[in-house]
Amino acid sequence: MDGTHGGAHDGSHPVPHDGSGSGEGVLDAVPTVLVLAIVLAAAGGYLLAVRRARRRNPVQGWSGWRSAAFLGGLALLAVALLPPLGPAAHHDFRGHMAQHMLIGMYAPLALVLAAPVTLALRTLPPAGARRVTTLLHGRPARLLTHPAVALALSTGTLGALYFTPLYDTAMSHPAGHWLMNAHFLAAGCLFAHAVAGPDPAPARPGVPARLVYLGVAIAAHALIAQAMYGGFLVHIHAPVDQVQQGAEIMYYAGDIAELLLAAALVATWRPERRSRRPRTGRGAVPAGPASSGGVPVG
């Protein structure tokens, strides 16, 4: 790994944020307060929706595992964005990669398994639920939630981030760092939803096709991590040992996250039973709620 692409000559990140000055300390506290407020608001909103869903249909209720998954996903986001990991990610590539794994792979899987769209469909007024259903069946939503597009946004962008000056440019501005984290979270949620999400997904292909997309993601992550470890085409201004250790975090933590995603795909898979002979007459069974909206039970 050469001095241009492997690491800065002084062995430090171009713009470290250590919060040494009093003004910087105040500025660093603003994102912390904002993250706490967003996490607590999201947790409170989800739990209120769960309470409403259970009141509307006490028999059907809502799975406690889904609630635990949502709260666990929010906890992972808090660990990634709050001290000590949050500030460390600004000046240590190992911290950045650990944060990337939590925000882009582990937290999205937990949040997606919480089925927030299904919960919204159960708690919204009928008019609001119809609008959400229309949005889900619209062309933009069908495009974004297709596994190929989600794969390109989540995994395909990693090459542009780490093999071009994009990473250093983003890390040199606080807003760029937050936008990068927002991209990790959104793209990770899209891919987890496209592969194994329990929420309705009209454009989702069958299980074999989704396994292929997941396999491509696993291979791409491994290749990027190996290239990063070897210093091939890498454009990251950080010490070589930090880049290599960050690549190891990406390699091993990424494999674990993708195995969990594969397990979620198997666990949430419901084989479709189709009868070749349509049943009519007295013995015909009317279509149930699942046929109208594809909304899974909680």
Side-chain angles (χ1 to χ4, degrees):
M1 193 177 298
D2 59 14
T4 302
H5 296 81
H9 294 293
D10 59 355
S12 62
H13 194 276
V15 184
H17 299 282
D18 57 2
S20 56
S22 59
E24 292 181 0
V26 173
L27 292 176
D28 290 341
V30 173
T32 300
V33 173
L34 184 60
V35 168
L36 283 174
I38 293 175
V39 168
L40 293 176
Y46 187 92
L47 293 178
L48 286 175
V50 169
R51 182 181 180 186
R52 180 176 298 180
R54 288 174 173 169
R55 282 186 173 182
R56 284 190 174 184
N57 194 332
V59 176
Q60 191 176 35
W62 185 257
S63 170
W65 288 108
R66 294 208 192 280
S67 300
F70 192 81
L71 296 178
L74 292 179
L76 291 174
L77 287 179
V79 170
L81 295 172
L82 297 176
L85 182 55
H90 286 267
H91 57 80
D92 191 317
F93 187 74
R94 296 164 297 187
H96 158 79
M97 190 55 68
Q99 186 183 64
H100 174 189
M101 292 294 101
L102 291 174
I103 296 176
M105 302 190 76
Y106 287 90
L109 177 58
L111 295 175
V112 165
L113 291 179
V117 176
T118 299
L119 181 61
L121 291 173
R122 290 190 185 177
T123 55
L124 286 172
R130 283 194 295 270
R131 284 193 291 270
V132 172
T133 302
T134 301
L135 181 65
L136 291 175
H137 286 80
R139 182 172 295 179
R142 294 171 68 92
L143 179 64
L144 283 174
T145 56
H146 192 278
V149 177
L151 175 64
L153 291 174
S154 61
T155 304
T157 56
L158 296 181
L161 180 64
Y162 296 125
F163 300 146
T164 73
L166 182 59
Y167 170 79
D168 290 322
T169 301
M171 294 298 291
S172 63
H173 303 281
H177 188 207
W178 286 100
L179 287 174
M180 181 173 59
N181 286 334
H183 169 78
F184 287 154
L185 179 61
C189 287
L190 281 175
F191 187 67
H193 168 72
V195 172
D199 282 326
R204 181 182 290 149
V207 171
R210 283 183 274 161
L211 286 174
V212 170
Y213 286 113
L214 181 56
V216 172
I218 293 173
H221 269 114
L223 288 174
I224 293 172
Q226 289 171 357
M228 189 183 302
Y229 187 89
F232 299 108
L233 303 176
V234 177
H235 201 294
I236 300 170
H237 286 183
V240 175
D241 61 333
Q242 287 190 15
V243 175
Q244 290 181 338
Q245 291 172 29
E248 291 178 340
I249 293 172
M250 181 180 184
Y251 187 88
Y252 293 109
D255 276 354
I256 294 173
E258 282 151 345
L259 287 175
L260 291 174
L261 184 57
L265 171 58
V266 174
T268 58
W269 175 46
R270 298 293 182 269
E272 297 180 2
R273 298 179 180 178
R274 297 179 180 177
S275 176
R276 295 184 177 179
R277 294 179 299 175
R279 301 175 61 186
T280 57
R282 289 185 179 182
V285 179
S291 63
S292 60
V295 180
V297 297

